Structure formats: C-alpha cells, structure tokens
C-alpha cells in the first residue's frame, strides 16, 4: 500500500451513520475497496455499517477482540497521531481539532518519509506508483498481447483500511 492517510474523521463520539457517510463520500471520490479491516468498535459492528458494506460489496475483516496487532499498521498510525498531534495541543473547539488533524494528515502524506516506501512520503510514493502503472498500461496497450486475457490495465488500489 501507499501508507496514505485518506480519511480522518473527528467528533466527540463516533457513530455508524457519520462513518458510513464519510466512507460513502470517500468511495465516490477514489473507489470502494474490496475489503476493510477494522476493530470491533460499535460503529463498525452496527447493522448500518454492515448493511452499507454488503450493499457496496465490501468484505469486513474484524480483528479478534483484544488483538490490536492484527491491525498493526493502523495501531501504529493511531499512535503517531496521538504522539505528534493530539497530545501536542489543547483543543478549545471541535473545529480547531479538525483543522489541526487536517494539517497533520497533509504533513504526514506530503512530508514524512517511510522506510517501507523507499524513504519517500506517501503522496510521492503513490504518484510514482501511479506513473509506473500508467507506463505499464500504456505499454500493454501499445503492444497487443497474444492472449487478450493477460493484457490488463491497473489503477491505484482503493483504500485498504479505514
């Protein structure tokens, strides 16, 4: 994956309906994933979320209760958000928190290199990946394959986690 932070939802409490609305808007922008891995929070265990995922053809992969290591990337990301953003500021209003989180996400995606991304920031890595895929797709279109079923184009993968 690209390690991009593609959605940061902030509220006093998190319920299923706003989560579904945010994910629906995100899916309309970048496409819907084939699967999501989540914890067992009530917003993800709700009938509303499960119906939405089924309607969109998204497989829900719940981690085992008490096993955050099964979603290690997100746990690591959440720790980074807490350490580098949430614990650094006082939050006079919810809107202020949203602005600060948006700034954090922008910096995280555009400026923070990741060793797993060849020491590139997520946005730079995603752009490089997209250009490589475009080159491969263009090459396969320019030189028809003998077996049409192997001549496929690819696009950036949709979100892989929420």
């Amino acid at each position: 994956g690209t390690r991009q932070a593609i959605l940061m939802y902030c509220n006093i409490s998190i319920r299923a309906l706003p989560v579904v609305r945010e994910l629906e808007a995100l899916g309309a922008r970048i496409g819907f994933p084939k699967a999501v891995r989540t914890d067992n929070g009530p917003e993800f265990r709700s009938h509303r979320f499960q119906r939405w995922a089924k309607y969109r053809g998204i497989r829900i992969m719940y981690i085992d209760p008490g096993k955050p290591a099964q979603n290690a990337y997100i746990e690591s990301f959440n720790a980074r958000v807490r350490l580098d953003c949430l614990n650094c500021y006082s939050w006079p209003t919810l809107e202020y928190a949203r602005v600060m989180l948006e700034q954090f996400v922008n910096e995280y995606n555009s400026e923070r290199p990741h060793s797993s991304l060849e020491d590139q920031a997520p946005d730079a890595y995603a752009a490089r990946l997209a250009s490589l895929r475009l080159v491969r797709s263009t090459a396969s279109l320019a030189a028809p394959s003998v077996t049409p079923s192997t001549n496929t184009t690819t696009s950036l993968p949709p979100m892989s986690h929420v």
Side-chain angles (χ1 to χ4, degrees):
T2 63
R3 302 265 194 243
Q4 287 174 297
I6 55 174
L7 177 63
M8 181 77 69
Y9 178 75
C10 173
N11 211 333
I12 300 216
S13 67
I14 298 178
R15 302 186 53 91
L17 181 58
V19 168
V20 167
R21 286 180 181 155
E22 292 290 327
L23 293 174
E24 184 67 22
L26 180 65
R29 272 196 336 267
I30 67 171
F32 295 93
K34 293 179 182 171
V36 293
R37 180 179 311 277
T38 75
D39 61 20
N40 291 279
E43 67 277 20
F44 298 121
R45 282 288 185 184
S46 71
H47 292 295
R48 185 180 305 271
F49 179 77
Q50 292 175 0
R51 282 192 312 265
W52 172 80
K54 183 176 180 178
Y55 172 76
R56 287 293 177 194
I58 300 168
R59 183 171 58 112
I60 304 170
M61 301 181 308
Y62 293 106
I63 64 171
D64 292 331
K67 302 281 187 177
Q70 292 177 347
N71 205 5
Y73 169 70
I74 291 302
E75 292 300 321
S76 174
F77 175 76
N78 288 344
R80 180 75 22 224
V81 172
R82 276 190 300 279
L83 182 65
D84 294 349
C85 185
L86 298 178
N87 294 346
C88 296
Y89 303 98
S90 61
W91 306 97
T93 66
L94 189 56
E95 187 55 36
Y96 182 78
R98 289 177 177 145
V99 168
M100 296 307 290
L101 283 168
E102 183 177 350
Q103 287 177 3
F104 172 83
V105 167
N106 289 337
E107 177 189 323
Y108 178 88
N109 284 333
S110 64
E111 298 176 21
R112 290 179 180 227
H114 293 259
S115 59
S116 64
L117 303 178
E118 301 169 8
D119 291 318
Q120 296 178 67
D123 285 349
Y125 184 81
R128 184 172 150 258
L129 189 61
S131 69
L132 291 173
R133 288 180 174 164
L134 181 61
V135 167
R136 280 191 219 132
S137 296
T138 304
S140 67
L141 292 174
S145 173
V146 175
T147 309
S149 64
T150 62
N151 184 10
T152 60
T153 58
T154 57
S155 60
L156 277 176
M159 66 180 178
S160 61
H161 60 277
V162 175

